[in-house]
Amino acid sequence: MNLYAKLKERQDKPLRIGVIGAGKFGAMYIAQVPRTPGVHLVGIADLSPAYAKENLQRVGWSAERYSAPSLDHALKTGQTHLSEDWEALLAHPAIDIVIESTGNPPAAVEHALAAFRNRKHVVMVTVEADAFCGPLLARKAAEAGVVYSLAYGDQPALICDLVDWARAAGFPVIAAGRGHKWLPHYAQSTPDTVWGYYGLTPEQARAGGLNPKMFNSFLDGSKPAIETAAVCNATGLTPAPEGLAYPPGSVDDIPSLMRPRSEGGVLHHKGQVEVVSSLQGDGTPIAYDIRFGVWVVFEGETDYIRRCFMEYGVKTDPSSRYACMYKRWHLIGLEVGISVASVGLRAEPTGCAVAWNADAVAVAKKSLKEGEILDGEGGYTVVGRLMPAADSLAQHCLPLGLAHGWRLVRPVPAGEPLRWDHVAFDANATAVRVRREMEGLYRSSPR
């Protein structure tokens, strides 16, 4: 609770930050840097410096602020160096923490591994990478003596924070998760249909510079699968065998929904992740929804605790046993500074894989033919599904984060998970090697 005070103490010796990827998420963090004491954004690496400059101007940075001709010059002047060279950024001995915000899962794995080799802490914004190999990245970071962390402001880290709060206060965690605008047919949505479901015209989307594939990954369930997989692996929670159910409900409905089925709820078991829909089954919006937020349901185990819930107006289920704490919104990159401060000042992650409990696997969005090229999350070919990691491992499932650019060598029926033997993949690609290494470790030693 004293990160701000500790950051102020570092004003003369700030945490030195490098950002890889100055897109939407990265730019949101960058917007907060001038307003945050005790940090110096030394360098930004982006494959398109011109695009990065546009974003820097959009968030209010003057050209002078990012005009340092080198990292060394930036360190002397307090300015920021902008280039395409992420390797130089990671190799510079003065950088303390790297924020990986490219949104490109294979590239994110490369960047994380290089950062570990150079003894840099990593805040992983690209949660797709964490979803398919986070447990191994966490292990490699520990071996290098550095911190690997999920990014605060994104929903997985916020869920981890709520879970940690409940447990540290002595409450058993019954379920945790996030909200979502969901109807079952959204799982077949493509970039061609996404704006209609969002309630926007294509013209409005273009005017806002919105990426249809990225937004479709939110809508079709891919992002919820990815994010809840990361939460499971960081908290020890587990998915239901059938994955996410998306029960509809308001914030006040959550304690009643998130009970075991034997007690009138929707949970397969206690200690589960789930996503709550902001729409009724007929598409009617639910008032006081949790669409953009996160929540945790915890249990009052004694009559005394349940009476305390009542005395302080805590909304519970009818038995008064299950209660909910929540945040109705999250601020994405605007909150990443919490991760930077926690990692840099306390050497503590804001969420980090401790097990491999869940996987986000690629499922055929339609009947796929031999020879088709997979186009990843939010596209036309595959959608993400949350699955227990043991089931994914046993079935040799292809993780969603790697289902991009590979050619199918055999057909896959609609609704079926893809397997490694369905695709012609590059076994030498770094991200593939890391994932396969993790699979081997968990086959030989599941825990």
Side-chain angles (χ1 to χ4, degrees), residues 33-364:
V33 168
R35 300 165 176 82
T36 309
V39 296
H40 176 197
L41 179 51
V42 179
I44 301 168
D46 195 287
L47 292 178
S48 175
Y51 173 68
K53 288 178 181 178
E54 289 180 11
N55 277 340
L56 289 169
Q57 292 166 3
R58 185 176 292 114
V59 304
W61 274 43
S62 66
E64 181 183 4
R65 183 179 286 276
Y66 57 85
S67 63
S70 68
L71 293 170
D72 287 333
H73 189 273
L75 286 161
K76 292 177 182 176
T77 62
Q79 295 172 301
T80 299
H81 175 60
L82 172 63
S83 78
E84 301 176 49
D85 194 348
W86 63 268
E87 292 176 295
L89 181 65
L90 295 185
H92 199 287
I95 301 297
D96 301 313
I97 303 169
V98 175
I99 299 173
E100 208 300 330
S101 52
T102 63
N104 182 319
V109 174
E110 293 264 13
H111 298 155
L113 295 176
F116 301 157
R117 288 194 297 271
N118 286 282
R119 300 296 191 269
K120 314 294 184 194
H121 305 305
V122 172
V123 176
M124 179 59 78
V125 172
T126 307
V127 69
E128 296 85 352
D130 185 86
F132 77 77
C133 65
L136 190 64
L137 292 179
R139 179 180 297 202
K140 290 184 178 295
E143 291 170 352
V146 296
V147 177
Y148 169 75
S149 177
L150 295 173
Y152 203 87
D154 215 359
Q155 285 165 308
L158 297 180
I159 297 168
C160 291
D161 189 35
L162 287 177
V163 170
D164 187 64
W165 165 84
R167 288 171 170 167
F171 295 115
V173 171
I174 304 306
R178 49 163 286 181
H180 189 51
K181 179 183 178 181
W182 175 258
L183 292 172
H185 63 273
Y186 289 174
Q188 282 74 51
S189 177
T190 71
D192 294 334
T193 61
V194 62
W195 300 132
Y197 293 140
Y198 263 95
L200 298 174
T201 67
E203 292 73 23
Q204 288 172 324
R206 280 194 293 272
L210 307 181
N211 182 321
K213 189 170 184 287
M214 180 182 71
F215 273 78
N216 196 53
S217 73
F218 304 152
L219 182 81
D220 71 8
S222 294
K223 192 69 75 175
I226 287 166
E227 293 188 343
T228 50
V231 170
C232 285
N233 298 336
T235 62
L237 299 175
T238 51
E242 63 273 18
L244 297 171
Y246 298 100
S250 71
V251 169
D252 288 343
D253 293 329
I254 292 175
S256 295
L257 287 170
M258 296 304 149
R259 300 178 291 173
R261 293 169 189 166
S262 61
E263 298 179 50
V266 303
L267 295 182
H268 172 270
H269 59 269
K270 292 184 178 182
Q272 186 180 313
V273 293
E274 191 51 85
V275 173
V276 175
S277 176
S278 64
L279 298 177
Q280 298 287 6
D282 63 1
T284 304
I286 294 171
Y288 199 49
D289 64 75
I290 194 75
R291 177 182 176 185
F292 296 109
V294 297
W295 50 268
V296 62
V297 169
F298 50 96
E299 184 174 2
E301 295 183 289
T302 68
D303 288 339
Y304 174 78
I305 294 170
R306 295 194 288 274
R307 188 165 60 252
C308 289
F309 289 167
M310 180 272 294
E311 290 169 351
Y312 287 90
V314 177
K315 184 68 177 179
T316 68
D317 75 313
S319 74
S320 301
R321 177 176 289 273
Y322 302 110
C324 176
M325 191 66 74
Y326 61 92
K327 290 186 175 182
R328 276 196 80 199
W329 295 277
H330 63 299
L331 297 181
I332 333 288
L334 299 177
E335 298 182 77
V336 175
I338 303 299
S339 289
V340 170
S342 181
V343 169
L345 300 174
R346 296 175 174 164
E348 291 180 359
T350 51
C352 179
V354 295
W356 190 26
N357 287 346
D359 204 10
V361 305
V363 172

Side-chain angles (χ1 to χ4, degrees), residues 7-27:
L7 283 170
K8 289 182 71 175
E9 292 171 2
R10 292 292 296 261
Q11 289 186 104
D12 295 331
K13 190 179 179 182
L15 301 172
R16 296 163 299 189
I17 314 303
V19 169
I20 306 179
K24 176 64 172 175
F25 205 118

